[in-house]
Amino acid sequence: MVEDKVCFVISPIGSSESATRERADHVFDCVIEEALEDFDYTPKRADHIAEPGIITNDVIEYIVESPLVIADLTDSNANVFYELAIRHAYEKPTIQIIEEGEDIPFDLASTRTISFDHSDVESVAEAKSKIVEQIESINNESETFENPITVAEDIRDLKSGSRQERSVAELIENISGLRSEMRSIEKKVNDPK
């Protein structure tokens, strides 16, 4: 059973003593845990689950039942994207983070994602501040949270409606495409490698 104030962290974890684990632990301790302090959330990651049972079932329960999830998209980890898709299907609050300089996959490019350099003190402080802002926004929102799945469902519903609704659906798709292109251009301008 998932505790009331758990923030489940979906993250690449890596094997113990690997560079991936070292980064995951640093981000967990110095970014996520510190950002959650004022909200009384207890962060928990898959490797922190000590309950008996099948680990996959336990992880899915935390993904579905936790009041908040933070997903670290760093390294384009397949498990992270699988778990994030499950969370999106349940339309529950999720905050996305990624290591600065990494590409956000196309399907998630229109979703607000906090980019930061985990080895830069100022960047970490800014990331914590942005996480706090997003939590405050989530706390003030209604029960519906937009993500790629909910947007696709809304567009599908509009496409099956009147001519006006179909036009709105086409407009939404075009705007979404423009957002993705703008983020790509911003990334190239900010990192001209």
Side-chain angles (χ1 to χ4, degrees), residues 42-65:
T42 302
K44 189 172 267 197
R45 203 171 56 196
D47 60 320
H48 300 158
I49 299 172
E51 298 152 10
I54 300 171
I55 187 73
T56 305
N57 293 345
D58 294 337
V59 169
I60 290 174
E61 183 177 356
Y62 275 94
I63 291 166
V64 172
E65 298 299 328

Side-chain angles (χ1 to χ4, degrees), residues 74-178:
T74 302
D75 294 337
S76 296
N77 183 286
N79 288 334
V80 168
F81 293 125
Y82 177 79
E83 293 168 8
L84 181 59
I86 293 170
R87 181 68 175 191
H88 283 172
Y90 281 87
E91 300 179 22
K92 292 191 172 180
T94 307
I95 296 172
Q96 294 177 181
I97 63 175
I98 193 167
E99 185 70 24
E100 192 171 275
E102 291 204 17
D103 292 328
I104 299 170
F106 177 79
D107 290 338
L108 298 171
S110 63
T111 306
R112 184 172 290 121
T113 303
I114 299 167
S115 177
F116 65 99
D117 178 351
H118 81 281
S119 63
D120 179 281
V121 174
E122 288 180 24
S123 185
V124 165
E126 187 177 334
K128 288 189 288 191
S129 177
K130 288 179 180 179
I131 291 171
V132 166
E133 287 173 14
Q134 286 198 22
I135 293 170
E136 289 170 345
S137 177
I138 288 167
N139 289 342
N140 294 323
E141 290 285 322
S142 66
E143 290 299 310
T144 304
F145 300 94
E146 280 191 353
N147 65 57
I149 293 174
T150 61
V151 170
E153 288 173 341
D154 291 344
I155 291 172
R156 181 198 63 215
D157 292 344
L158 286 170
K159 284 181 175 180
S160 65
S162 68
R163 192 166 79 196
Q164 269 185 318
E165 290 173 325
R166 289 192 302 272
S167 294
V168 169
E170 186 176 328
L171 185 60
I172 292 169
E173 286 179 322
N174 289 337
I175 290 170
S176 180
L178 287 172

Side-chain angles (χ1 to χ4, degrees), residues 15-29:
S15 58
S16 61
E17 299 184 33
S18 67
T20 300
R21 175 67 64 90
E22 184 178 315
R23 181 195 174 277
D25 288 345
H26 181 262
V27 169
F28 186 91
D29 296 337

